[in-house]
């Protein structure tokens, strides 16, 4: 009996404990044998013996149960330690990046024009007055040269305000014909819902010898391009002014949000302005030494295209580096 009690106390597995329970309460166990002894007793002896036996029974029941509880807890703990998961460990699932919507839009535009045999040209972001303004027929008093519209460095260098200086650089290093686009960042000191100090443009330039290039060529290429980008939209050319093109036009597409009926995005006009263009001004040819040529140029803001294509309301969100925005462009 004491031995049983000890065995229970030192027992360290639930399986062992169940065996001991059989030894105590089973058919061939301790209590069955003890209760059989009752038959041989009478009167007061029987009562005292039975009483004792019942107390012992309660004691063992309690002992076995509490031991079982302890062992179960231990077992759980062991299991938890064995199967423990370190939540700080990398899980091996690699998160892939995604193309920024501006870059994605840029790629689409580049793809379109390279398929039409346009070359891709590049130029410096820090420009001089000649390439950014002078050669583009932007006279000294032109407002674009104002401190408010241009980031200047001390030595009269500046951050290019548009991609047009790449036109000049390309024409200076290459004889006609020219058929080029130049994508890249440009800089202007502006910051609000639709302006950021840095944004991206793509410029296009086509120059041929003689009088081959007309406004009709420009119209048709841009119409097709805009329908490729935005689907079934109407395209309209509005007379405008750029110092480096004459005649100049701004190009609108019918509003892709309201189908041209008028909404908040298009300020109820039914039209969205998407790019500037024109026939290259003869003064630009003079600056680069081209003679007897004709050509057209166009320029567009890539962020504006990306915002329209993806219905992004605030231009600034494109530059905040918030992964939650980028996650939405994963393919
Ligand atoms: N450079 C002009 C701008 O930044 C865009 C443009 C390019 C317009 C070429 C006409 C021709 O607004």
């Amino acid at each position: 009996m004491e031995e049983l009690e000890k065995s229970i106390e030192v027992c360290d597995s639930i399986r062992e404990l169940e065996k001991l329970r059989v030894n105590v309460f089973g058919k061939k166990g301790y209590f069955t044998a003890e209760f059989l002894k009752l038959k041989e007793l009478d009167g007061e002896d029987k009562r005292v013996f039975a009483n004792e036996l019942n107390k012992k029974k309660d004691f063992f029941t309690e002992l076995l149960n509490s031991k079982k509880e302890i062992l179960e807890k231990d077992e759980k703990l062991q299991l938890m330690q064995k199967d423990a998961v370190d939540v700080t460990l990398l899980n091996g699932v690699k998160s892939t990046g995604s193309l920024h919507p501006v870059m994605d839009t840029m790629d689409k535009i580049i793809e379109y024009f390279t398929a039409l045999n346009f070359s891709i040209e590049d130029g410096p972001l820090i420009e001089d007055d000649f390439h950014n303004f002078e050669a583009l027929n932007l006279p000294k008093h032109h407002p674009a040269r104002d401190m408010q519209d241009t980031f200047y460095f001390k030595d009269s260098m500046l951050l290019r305000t548009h991609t047009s200086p790449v036109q000049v650089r390309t024409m200076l290093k290459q004889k006609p014909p020219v058929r080029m686009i130049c994508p890249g960042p440009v800089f202007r000191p502006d910051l609000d819902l639709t302006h950021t100090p840095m944004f991206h443009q793509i410029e296009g330039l086509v120059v041929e010898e003689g009088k081959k290039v007309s406004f009709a060529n420009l119209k048709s290429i841009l119409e097709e391009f805009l329908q490729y980008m935005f689907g079934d939209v109407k395209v309209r050319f509005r007379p405008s002014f750029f110092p480096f093109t004459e005649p100049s036009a701004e190009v609108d597409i019918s509003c892709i949000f309201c189908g041209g009926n008028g909404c908040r995005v298009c300020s109820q006009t039914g039209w969205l302005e998407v790019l500037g263009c024109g026939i290259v001004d003869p003064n630009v040819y003079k600056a680069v030494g081209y003679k007897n040529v004709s050509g057209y140029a166009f320029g567009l803001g890539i962020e504006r295209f990306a915002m329209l294509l993806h219905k992004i309301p605030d231009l600034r969100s494109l530059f905040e580096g918030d992964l939650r925005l980028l996650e939405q462009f994963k393919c």
Side-chain angles (χ1 to χ4, degrees):
M1 149 93 203
E2 261 166 43
E3 223 174 89
L4 268 175
E5 196 181 326
K6 256 209 192 102
S7 313
I8 292 170
E9 262 157 25
V10 297
C11 169
D12 62 358
S13 86
I14 290 177
R15 240 173 162 217
E16 265 326 292
L17 191 71
E18 284 316 305
K19 274 187 201 162
L20 287 170
R21 189 189 291 278
V22 172
N23 286 351
V24 179
F25 291 119
K27 264 189 200 158
K28 292 175 188 162
Y30 172 78
F31 280 102
T32 314
E34 287 296 291
F35 275 108
L36 277 176
K37 288 183 188 162
L38 275 176
K39 276 188 197 160
E40 287 144 34
L41 294 170
D42 286 318
E44 185 59 14
D45 284 351
K46 190 173 187 170
R47 202 183 60 78
V48 172
F49 189 79
N51 227 348
E52 277 306 305
L53 213 52
N54 276 331
K55 269 190 203 152
K56 271 191 213 162
K57 209 180 144 195
D58 289 347
F59 171 76
F60 271 99
T61 308
E62 172 63 27
L63 186 66
L64 281 163
N65 285 349
S66 64
K67 184 72 189 179
K68 190 174 178 197
E69 218 171 275
I70 291 168
L71 288 177
E72 273 173 354
K73 260 191 203 153
D74 280 359
E75 198 170 75
K76 228 185 235 169
L77 208 71
Q78 271 173 20
L79 250 170
M80 265 157 69
Q81 275 165 357
K82 204 173 102 210
D83 293 346
V85 175
D86 182 350
V87 289
T88 65
L89 274 181
L90 289 174
N91 63 1
V93 179
K94 290 192 183 67
S95 151
T96 52
S98 60
L99 213 52
H100 192 282
V102 172
M103 293 302 130
D104 186 45
T105 307
M106 190 191 278
D107 284 354
K108 248 186 218 140
I109 301 173
I110 291 174
E111 223 170 81
Y112 184 83
F113 286 105
T114 47
L116 293 178
N117 246 348
F118 280 69
S119 66
I120 302 172
E121 302 295 337
D122 204 3
L125 305 188
I126 298 174
E127 268 295 2
D128 53 36
D129 190 89
F130 173 75
H131 292 93
N132 197 81
F133 294 133
E134 195 78 47
L136 288 162
N137 196 31
L138 267 137
K140 289 265 184 288
H141 56 267
H142 196 280
R145 293 184 172 217
D146 200 288
M147 291 296 279
Q148 266 113 55
D149 295 311
T150 308
F151 286 112
Y152 282 100
F153 295 102
K154 279 199 189 101
D155 50 5
S156 90
M157 297 296 277
L158 48 92
L159 286 175
R160 68 179 187 192
T161 57
H162 50 181
T163 40
S164 305
V166 186
Q167 288 188 27
V168 177
R169 288 184 177 276
T170 309
M171 287 191 277
L172 281 171
K173 72 168 192 214
Q174 181 185 327
K175 284 192 183 130
V178 173
R179 198 173 171 81
M180 57 149 270
I181 50 166
C182 51
V186 299
F187 307 85
R188 292 177 199 177
D190 271 334
L191 184 62
D192 59 35
L193 215 72
T194 51
H195 297 89
T196 47
M198 188 280 293
F199 59 102
H200 297 80
Q201 285 191 334
I202 284 196
E203 185 98 1
L205 173 72
V206 170
V207 181
E208 302 260 1
E209 275 173 296
K211 291 186 177 160
K212 280 184 240 161
V213 181
S214 71
F215 204 93
N217 299 138
L218 173 62
K219 264 191 91 172
S220 79
I221 197 168
L222 289 181
E223 256 169 26
E224 273 184 31
F225 162 64
L226 290 170
Q227 277 159 359
Y228 164 79
M229 292 301 287
F230 295 105
D232 192 16
V233 287
K234 280 191 216 123
V235 178
R236 105 179 157 178
F237 287 68
R238 253 182 314 106
S240 185
F241 173 77
F242 298 104
F244 33 92
T245 48
E246 180 60 36
S248 304
E250 274 173 320
V251 184
D252 301 336
I253 54 168
S254 52
C255 180
I256 52 173
F257 296 93
C258 62
N261 296 326
C263 67
R264 202 180 52 84
V265 185
C266 61
S267 308
Q268 310 302 331
T269 62
W271 296 96
L272 298 166
E273 185 195 318
V274 287
L275 56 81
C277 65
I279 294 295
V280 181
D281 192 288
N283 282 341
V284 177
Y285 296 135
K286 234 181 249 171
V288 297
Y290 272 17
K291 282 189 186 110
N292 189 27
V293 287
S294 58
Y296 62 72
F298 56 88
L300 61 91
I302 300 171
E303 279 77 4
R304 176 142 178 83
F305 272 53
M307 285 172 75
L308 291 174
L309 285 172
H310 299 295
K311 304 196 167 43
I312 299 168
D314 186 342
L315 173 62
R316 290 167 299 191
S317 63
L318 289 173
F319 299 107
E320 281 165 353
D322 192 328
L323 290 178
R324 288 171 301 181
L325 179 103
L326 294 181
E327 290 283 329
Q328 296 171 45
F329 296 96
K330 272 193 181 171
C331 29

